[in-house]
């Protein structure tokens, strides 16, 4: 990129001045290059998109009500889609009470931003799982929150460490959790732990931000109700998304929270982007009401089951026991662990040079400079051939460690 050659010193806002491109993001730049095995991406599988249905719905919208899809709309979201999603949250999850409301957002990413914009002041503490989703962490960082990462156990966040943090940080405003197929760890929080976390939040007078983009992708095991389904006290803000079930490019998500919180988030959204793309909202609404949603979900579960099983069998064959991993039952990612003493960032750099893109685990830590031996691998984007090729290459690298 060309820089201007006269010298003006741009002074950025304190809020974002500390957000700098890191070594990790430098590695991520290579991930879209042709010929690279895309284990670093987070894209749904191309074959999981309901292209025919979306084509038909779009044709109908433009044949019957084109101006409704092109006109300005209201910040809360399309009334029909909101009503459909209220029903979905009640019927599917038992998670919409009389005190709750729902706002349509530009993806779940915007739920994280609007939640902290509405509820948090600079310096407030936000407790999160460690590791956690980089997009959310950066949203929290951009509001200068004090991020406190809590280590994970195989059934979710450590309760003991969570309680210690709640005791130590009296200014905790939110506990941010991804209970299903957590990005990046792939771990799912048990039902008992969801209840215990809810009770802790209540006892310590803090709110929970529950992010559930992968809940619908479970391809093995039993569904566990979201924390929001326990919420009799109005302490959970729930983030849902169409990205992993329909299309991330449409940029449609939603938040369910007590009415006062949604009202404040609505004003904040007005300031940010007025409203979510109404054409995309109409597509989501028609998809939910006019298409066979359950059949579509069964189809994508089948796609991800097959891909995840292939990926895990290749990892067993080429990487184990040197590189270990958490087996997964949903979501899009596998969290792998390099042997002790390995320079993880160097491993990722070398993998990119050998045309395999993986994400360095430290990208997902509340403190990116903390020691980390993990890498995140995505199984939804690569083809079967790319998976095999990529695992062979990583296997050779593992053998040399
Ligand atoms: C845990 C988590 N939360 C939120 C998002 C953002 O999703 P959306 O596309 O709905 O903004 C992602 C996307 O990968 C994610 O993994």
């Amino acid at each position: 990129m060309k820089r201007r050659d006269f010298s003006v010193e741009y002074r950025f806002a304190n809020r974002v001045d500390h957000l700098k491109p890191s070594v990790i993001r430098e590695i991520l730049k290579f991930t879209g290059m042709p010929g690279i095995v895309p284990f670093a991406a987070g894209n749904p599988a191309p074959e999981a998109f309901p292209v025919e249905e979306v084509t038909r719905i779009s044709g109908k919208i433009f044949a019957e009500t084109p101006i409704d899809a092109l006109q300005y709309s209201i910040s809360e979201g399309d009334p029909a889609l909101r009503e459909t999603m209220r029903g979905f949250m009640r019927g599917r999850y038992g998670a919409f009470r009389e005190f709750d409301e729902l706002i349509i957002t530009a993806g779940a990413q915007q739920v994280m931003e609007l939640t902290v914009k509405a509820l948090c002041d600079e310096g407030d503490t936000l407790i999160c799982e460690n590791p956690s989703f980089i997009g959310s962490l950066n949203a929290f960082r951009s509001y200068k929150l004090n991020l406190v990462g809590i280590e994970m156990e195989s059934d979710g966040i450590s309760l003991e460490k969570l309680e210690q943090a709640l005791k130590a940080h009296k200014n905790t405003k939110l506990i941010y959790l991804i209970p299903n197929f957590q990005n990046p760890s792939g771990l799912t929080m048990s039902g008992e732990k969801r209840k215990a976390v809810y009770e802790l939040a209540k006892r310590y007078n803090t709110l929970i931000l529950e992010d559930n983009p992968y809940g619908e992708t479970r391809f093995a095991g039993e569904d566990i109700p979201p924390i929001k389904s326990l919420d009799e006290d109005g302490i959970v803000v729930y983030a849902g998304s169409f990205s992993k079930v329909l299309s991330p490019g449409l940029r449609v998500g939603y938040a369910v929270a007590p009415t006062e919180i949604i009202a404040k988030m609505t004003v904040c959204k007005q300031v940010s982007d007025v409203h979510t793309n109404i054409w995309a909202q109409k597509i989501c609404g028609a998809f939910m009401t006019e298409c066979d949603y359950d059949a579509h979900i069964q189809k994508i579960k089948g796609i991800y089951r097959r891909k995840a099983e292939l990926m895990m069998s290749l990892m067993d064959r080429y990487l184990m026991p040197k590189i270990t991993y958490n087996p997964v039952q949903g979501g899009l990612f596998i969290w792998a662990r390099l042997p002790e003493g390995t320079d993880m960032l160097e491993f990722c750099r070398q993998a990119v040079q050998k045309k395999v893109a993986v994400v360095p685990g430290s990208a997902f830590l509340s403190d990116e400079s903390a020691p980390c031996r993990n890498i995140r691998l995505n199984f939804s984007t690569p083809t079967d051939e790319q998976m095999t090729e990529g695992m062979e290459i990583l296997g050779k690298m593992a053998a040399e460690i």
Side-chain angles (χ1 to χ4, degrees):
M1 203 183 304
K2 203 159 174 240
R3 280 190 67 92
R4 304 193 310 165
D5 41 14
F6 51 89
S7 66
V8 180
E9 197 193 330
Y10 298 115
R11 288 182 298 146
F12 291 104
N14 279 337
R15 279 191 325 280
V16 292
D17 201 31
H18 62 300
L19 294 179
K20 297 247 158 62
S22 64
V23 186
I24 295 147
R25 285 176 207 111
E26 293 305 303
I27 290 178
L28 286 178
K29 273 188 201 160
F30 295 100
T31 61
M33 276 165 45
I36 291 253
V37 177
F39 288 149
N43 296 346
E47 61 272 32
F49 288 76
V51 176
E52 267 174 39
E53 284 92 333
V54 173
T55 308
R56 186 179 53 70
I57 290 168
S58 300
K60 190 168 165 219
I61 290 172
F62 283 101
E64 292 174 7
T65 50
I67 303 307
D68 289 355
L70 297 172
Q71 189 54 281
Y72 274 122
S73 187
I74 52 175
S75 302
E76 290 85 345
D78 181 44
L81 177 61
R82 290 176 76 210
E83 192 47 35
T84 301
M85 297 320 293
R86 286 187 198 104
F88 175 83
M89 288 299 292
R90 276 192 207 102
R92 170 86 176 90
Y93 294 132
F96 192 97
R97 290 189 164 70
E98 61 298 340
F99 53 72
D100 279 321
E101 234 335 326
L102 185 144
I103 182 175
I104 306 294
T105 57
Q109 178 69 31
Q110 195 179 42
V111 178
M112 306 329 143
E113 222 229 323
L114 294 180
T115 305
V116 294
K117 194 172 180 182
L119 292 166
C120 299
D121 288 311
E122 179 178 330
D124 282 346
T125 293
L126 181 144
I127 295 179
C128 59
E129 295 153 322
N130 209 22
S132 186
F133 172 53
I134 184 174
S136 302
L137 296 185
N138 279 342
F140 306 147
R141 288 185 180 117
S142 73
Y143 284 85
K144 297 203 87 178
L145 305 185
N146 173 37
L147 290 188
V148 175
I150 305 292
E151 74 189 50
M152 305 272 288
E153 294 163 351
S154 59
D155 62 347
I157 194 165
S158 157
L159 286 178
E160 195 191 324
K161 298 271 163 52
L162 174 60
E163 181 152 19
Q164 279 168 11
L166 287 165
K167 275 191 188 137
H169 300 277
K170 301 278 181 250
N171 65 341
T172 302
K173 279 272 176 71
L174 287 164
I175 307 172
Y176 171 64
L177 301 164
I178 310 164
N180 289 316
F181 319 117
Q182 205 247 18
N183 180 2
S185 70
L187 296 173
T188 290
M189 193 186 296
S190 66
E192 298 79 68
K193 218 166 229 191
R194 291 177 197 215
K195 287 185 192 132
V197 169
Y198 181 82
E199 289 306 323
L200 274 180
K202 209 160 89 176
R203 185 154 5 115
Y204 286 88
N205 202 17
T206 181
L207 301 180
I208 292 172
L209 174 54
E210 178 179 30
D211 187 10
N212 189 25
Y214 304 107
E216 297 289 277
T217 65
R218 178 181 278 283
F219 50 74
E222 294 293 313
D223 277 337
I224 304 172
I227 304 174
K228 186 67 186 161
S229 69
L230 308 168
D231 189 18
E232 289 177 349
D233 307 276
I235 62 166
V236 182
V237 177
Y238 176 93
S241 176
F242 283 92
S243 288
K244 306 300 172 348
V245 293
L246 176 52
S247 145
L250 288 178
R251 307 303 307 133
V252 183
Y254 49 97
V256 178
T259 306
E260 296 98 301
I261 297 181
I262 294 292
K264 193 58 83 181
M265 288 168 76
T266 307
V267 181
C268 294
K269 183 169 167 67
Q270 257 158 25
V271 174
S272 293
D273 63 356
V274 185
H275 63 76
T276 297
N277 180 326
I278 182 67
W279 172 10
Q281 291 188 63
K282 299 253 177 230
I283 290 174
C284 293
F287 183 77
M288 294 300 289
T289 52
E290 295 171 18
C291 298
D292 189 342
Y293 175 80
D294 291 338
H296 172 69
I297 292 297
Q298 286 313 318
K299 181 181 153 191
I300 62 173
K301 283 182 180 187
I303 293 170
Y304 291 135
R305 182 183 303 112
R306 200 194 62 75
K307 280 183 163 278
E309 281 171 1
L310 174 60
M311 184 87 161
M312 289 190 278
S313 71
L314 289 166
M315 291 177 81
D316 290 343
R317 180 161 160 208
Y318 291 109
L319 306 189
M320 290 282 275
K322 275 213 169 156
I323 300 180
T324 56
Y325 67 94
N326 298 335
V328 292
Q329 297 191 318
L332 306 183
F333 305 106
I334 299 184
W335 190 231
R337 193 169 175 79
L338 305 181
E340 204 158 336
T342 317
D343 179 340
M344 183 272 299
L345 283 177
E346 189 48 34
F347 181 91
C348 295
R349 270 192 213 101
Q350 283 184 19
V352 167
Q353 275 165 15
K354 294 179 199 295
K355 295 209 171 297
V356 183
V358 302
V359 190
S362 47
F364 305 97
L365 299 184
S366 49
D367 170 9
E368 286 180 319
S369 62
C372 180
R373 281 195 277 135
N374 289 89
I375 55 174
R376 192 195 71 178
L377 302 169
N378 164 265
F379 58 80
S380 56
T381 314
T383 60
D384 293 3
E385 294 69 32
Q386 285 176 319
M387 261 191 219
T388 310
E389 184 195 336
M391 280 302 156
E392 274 173 11
I393 293 170
L394 293 183
K396 281 191 195 128
M397 289 177 63
E400 284 163 17
I401 294 174

